[in-house]
Amino acid sequence: MTVEMTTSGPAATWLKRRSRISAIEIVFWLATLLPFFLFPSYLSLASQIAIGALFALSVDLILGYAGIITLGHAMFFGIGAYTAAILAKHGWGEPLTGLVAAAVVAGAVGFVTSFIIVRVQHLALIMITLGLGLLTYELANSFSTVTGGTDGLGVTIWPIFGRFDFDLWGYTAYSYALVILFIGVLVARRIVNSSFGLALTGIRENSQRMPAIGSVYRTHLQKIYVVAASMAGIAGALLTQTTGTVSLDTLSFQRSADVVVMLILGGTGRLYGGIIGAIIFLVARDRLSDMNPQYWYFWIGLLLMAIVLVMPGGILGGLSRLFGRFVR
Amino acid sequence: MSEGTPVLRTEGVRKRFGSLEVSRDISLALPVGARHALIGPNGAGKTTLINLITGRLKPDAGRITLDGQDVTGVPAAERVRRGLTRTFQINTLFPGLTPIESVLLAVCERKQEAGQFWRRLTGHAEAVDEAFAILKQLRLDDVATRETRHLAYGQQRLLEIALALATRPKVLLLDEPAAGVPKDESAALFAVIAALPADMAVLFIEHDMNLVFKFASRITVLVAGAVLVEAKPEIIRSDPRVREVYLGQGHHG
């Protein structure tokens, strides 16, 4: 209430309202528990979706907020996946420390590459991220003694807290992935609602102006790039741990492209866009590939074009515009 | 700092684009609290000079000093942090942010708080108050929470100045602050400029001679990249060379 007392009352209240947790968010998180009761035979898919959502969230932080376009973010996903796998292979299958290790390694690689990333823009940026992704893929391919090459690695993960074993039905897997996704959203939420988050949006809105208000904005970009790399690494490690395997596919260009598609379907710069996109994309893949395993990308392509043409802000952007009109 | 020491000085600044010399040996000195107008026909190199002073462009020769310190090789953002700020002739704002967010961002950057990712925006209460006070000062408080892209053009011009003020400049460079603003509204814009702190040095580019003579205590006339003359307004007004080369173009007869 002290905020209302100051002269900047209305503006401060408005700023506060922007970061408030909405009823829809609470409903959404309650709905994520539904698979346990309604689709218990699809819990493995649900955990894949949660992992995809965390990965898409990490891309949203750099693409949706800071405006860094990437077609190589799978490198961090894969690095995280392999970090967890290699740890487990060498006798340390404890999941939570595995996640931490994946975050640290992916974040460190993110930090090193961030020096190139913040120096380029537009097409060059896409090509650099793409190139780094391809490089990482082939490195993993050629160091087959460590990574298992095209065969990948099968690993044994210990029970979480020494108690919850990864079961065949995916109860533990989904619970675990969901909790980590929830924490990821909380962290991302905190970031985008901070002054740092505001600075990132400023860079996206007009990077030309940033130096003119005294901002050394490359530092901001490097920081968020490292955060996004770590988060992608955690998502990758989750995939390794919940499936007990890792393959080169985690590093593939396809994965980098898919995650951007998910994010654009759902809507960029909205935190939940990646989650909604992951649900639609992965459910569609599951359903469509049952019907027609070879051509399912046809429908994804069609959906992607339809969304981009009809709802430039993605599904969430379209919904919020519709809702805004409705309220007015 | 003593009375006479200039807060901003350029010494023999030169810049050439290929064979075109856009700045020829430009030397300027702005004392504390200056109201200095930069005038000249289109293509005289006025905006280029601002770009050179702010570090957007690198001069081929010459020195730029701020508070007596050489800033010629200092990056643009660092110059802003040291108190050398500009506005843009063509709006260079954050279209998707609201004025309160934009100015708050600039305040946070100045206070070196923009990198803090764990504190809620509203936790920066002092910065929020300061940002709002700046908007109020420029009469933008009513539209503080409206997206910049939806603001009236004149309000966007004011926001240009608001963003610059949030950096607490010692030297403020205004590149045609009233560009594109209807004549009857530009007076309101200059009322804001007239109300700027007395110790802030202001260098402004402006085409409306009435405004120039009203607000400037000193005028530099730039022609073809070189300083033609620098003097007090009353001398500029009666200088035949200025009449011929500059005023002559817009004031026939």
Side-chain angles (χ1 to χ4, degrees):
Chain A
M1 284 300 104
T2 50
V3 174
E4 266 80 4
M5 301 303 288
T6 63
T7 48
S8 50
T13 314
W14 180 84
L15 285 171
K16 201 169 194 173
R17 212 172 41 221
R18 291 212 80 184
S19 60
R20 198 174 288 167
I21 294 172
S22 69
I24 302 173
E25 270 182 285
I26 297 168
V27 171
F28 172 82
W29 285 107
L30 288 175
T32 58
L33 301 176
L34 288 177
F36 287 116
F37 310 106
L38 298 182
F39 321 104
S41 52
Y42 283 101
L43 289 180
S44 300
L45 175 64
S47 80
Q48 299 270 332
I49 291 173
I51 292 165
L54 183 63
F55 185 32
L57 177 63
S58 78
V59 177
D60 199 18
L61 286 178
I62 55 170
L63 195 152
Y65 285 92
I68 303 174
I69 316 166
T70 172
L71 274 183
H73 210 54
M75 75 183 273
F76 301 114
F77 185 88
I79 287 170
Y82 275 100
T83 304
I86 291 164
L87 261 184
K89 198 84 200 164
H90 290 80
W92 186 256
E94 203 287 311
L96 293 178
T97 44
L99 289 189
V100 173
V104 169
V105 175
V109 176
F111 178 69
V112 173
T113 51
S114 71
F115 287 90
I116 319 171
I117 297 297
V118 300
R119 273 170 176 74
V120 288
Q121 278 178 313
H122 312 301
L123 196 57
L125 180 59
I126 300 177
M127 291 303 117
I128 296 278
T129 53
L130 182 64
L132 285 168
L134 296 174
L135 267 171
T136 317
Y137 180 92
E138 290 304 348
L139 275 175
N141 195 6
S142 58
F143 284 92
S144 54
T145 44
V146 188
T147 63
T150 45
D151 296 334
L153 296 170
V155 294
T156 311
I157 302 298
W158 304 348
I160 299 167
F161 300 131
R163 276 192 62 189
F164 304 101
D165 220 333
F166 287 97
D167 56 294
L168 270 179
W169 300 273
Y171 274 98
T172 308
Y174 182 50
S175 313
Y176 181 44
L178 191 60
V179 167
I180 302 296
L181 172 64
F182 183 68
I183 296 169
V185 171
L186 287 183
V187 170
R189 211 174 183 291
R190 192 88 198 202
I191 291 175
V192 302
N193 287 326
S194 69
S195 55
F196 176 60
L198 181 59
L200 293 179
T201 320
I203 298 168
R204 182 193 70 204
E205 288 293 316
N206 194 344
S207 60
Q208 294 257 337
R209 183 76 198 210
M210 292 303 280
I213 58 170
S215 172
V216 188
Y217 67 90
R218 277 181 182 172
T219 322
H220 296 327
L221 287 180
Q222 282 187 286
K223 218 175 191 173
I224 196 64
Y225 199 71
V226 172
V227 172
S230 292
M231 197 180 269
I234 291 173
L238 276 176
L239 185 68
T240 299
Q241 294 176 349
T242 54
T243 59
T245 59
V246 65
S247 71
L248 282 177
D249 161 69
T250 56
L251 285 163
S252 66
F253 168 67
Q254 190 69 57
R255 192 173 289 273
S256 292
D258 284 352
V259 73
V260 173
V261 170
M262 287 178 203
L263 184 60
I264 289 172
L265 282 180
T268 59
R270 297 175 177 274
L271 288 187
Y272 286 87
I275 304 177
I276 301 296
I279 295 171
I280 291 168
F281 187 95
L282 293 169
V283 169
R285 183 169 79 180
D286 186 68
R287 300 286 78 205
L288 294 171
S289 60
D290 266 4
M291 296 191 299
N292 199 332
Q294 283 176 40
Y295 304 120
W296 77 276
Y297 262 107
F298 175 87
W299 300 106
I300 289 289
L302 209 62
L303 182 63
L304 183 64
M305 291 197 295
I307 294 280
V308 169
L309 287 174
V310 181
M311 297 191 260
I315 290 166
L316 283 187
L319 283 179
S320 87
R321 223 170 21 177
L322 210 70
F323 188 68
R325 202 173 295 163
F326 183 69
V327 169
R328 234 170 273 154
Chain B
M1 188 189 307
S2 68
E3 188 68 18
T5 324
V7 59
L8 174 75
R9 184 194 278 280
T10 73
E11 293 165 35
V13 167
R14 288 173 185 278
K15 180 74 186 172
R16 120 192 331 273
F17 293 129
S19 62
L20 185 68
E21 249 191 314
V22 283
S23 301
R24 309 172 192 218
D25 198 19
I26 297 177
S27 297
L28 281 180
L30 262 69
V32 174
R35 294 291 181 270
H36 197 124
L38 191 60
I39 66 172
N42 285 327
K46 304 185 294 291
T47 297
T48 302
L49 180 60
I50 297 233
N51 286 338
L52 288 167
I53 294 174
T54 53
R56 238 189 176 202
L57 291 175
K58 230 178 100 64
D60 298 330
R63 247 161 59 96
I64 295 152
T65 61
L66 179 68
D67 264 344
Q69 283 178 311
D70 192 335
V71 294
T72 320
V74 171
E78 177 58 30
R79 291 188 206 196
V80 174
R81 290 192 171 180
R82 294 196 197 174
L84 176 59
T85 309
R86 71 173 296 177
T87 66
F88 293 84
Q89 182 186 355
I90 296 160
N91 283 339
T92 306
L93 302 166
F94 305 110
L97 295 184
T98 61
I100 186 71
E101 288 173 311
S102 308
V103 178
L104 180 58
L105 171 58
V107 172
C108 286
E109 285 287 359
R110 190 198 75 231
K111 298 173 84 160
Q112 311 259 358
E113 287 176 358
Q116 296 179 358
F117 58 84
W118 205 244
R119 211 163 128 199
R120 275 177 211 285
L121 211 44
T122 41
H124 301 264
E126 259 178 51
V128 173
D129 285 346
E130 187 186 333
F132 193 75
I134 292 169
L135 291 174
K136 198 160 187 155
Q137 183 191 342
L138 300 195
R139 299 190 199 102
L140 286 171
D141 46 329
D142 287 342
V143 292
T145 58
R146 192 178 295 173
E147 253 183 48
T148 300
R149 67 171 103 249
H150 298 313
L151 296 184
Y153 181 75
Q155 291 172 328
Q156 295 193 11
R157 292 312 287 160
L158 283 167
L159 187 53
E160 269 287 333
I161 298 174
L163 285 179
L165 291 183
T167 68
R168 291 211 179 140
K170 292 176 197 155
V171 179
L172 180 60
L173 312 173
L174 301 167
D175 191 352
E176 291 195 46
V181 178
K183 240 192 166 111
D184 50 327
E185 286 177 39
S186 62
L189 203 71
F190 266 83
V192 164
I193 295 167
L196 291 175
D199 59 348
M200 191 185 287
V202 181
L203 177 72
F204 64 98
I205 300 175
E206 177 52 52
H207 282 297
D208 185 332
M209 285 306 126
N210 291 324
L211 291 171
V212 168
F213 287 123
K214 193 165 170 199
F215 288 100
S217 52
R218 196 142 187 102
I219 299 175
T220 294
V221 184
L222 217 56
V223 176
V227 175
L228 178 75
V229 56
E230 188 206 315
K232 286 186 172 164
E234 34 301 4
I235 297 168
I236 296 288
R237 202 192 287 268
S238 56
D239 190 307
R241 289 173 302 169
V242 176
R243 290 198 82 85
E244 188 187 330
V245 87
Y246 182 67
L247 297 179
Q249 293 189 337
H251 294 248
H252 281 296

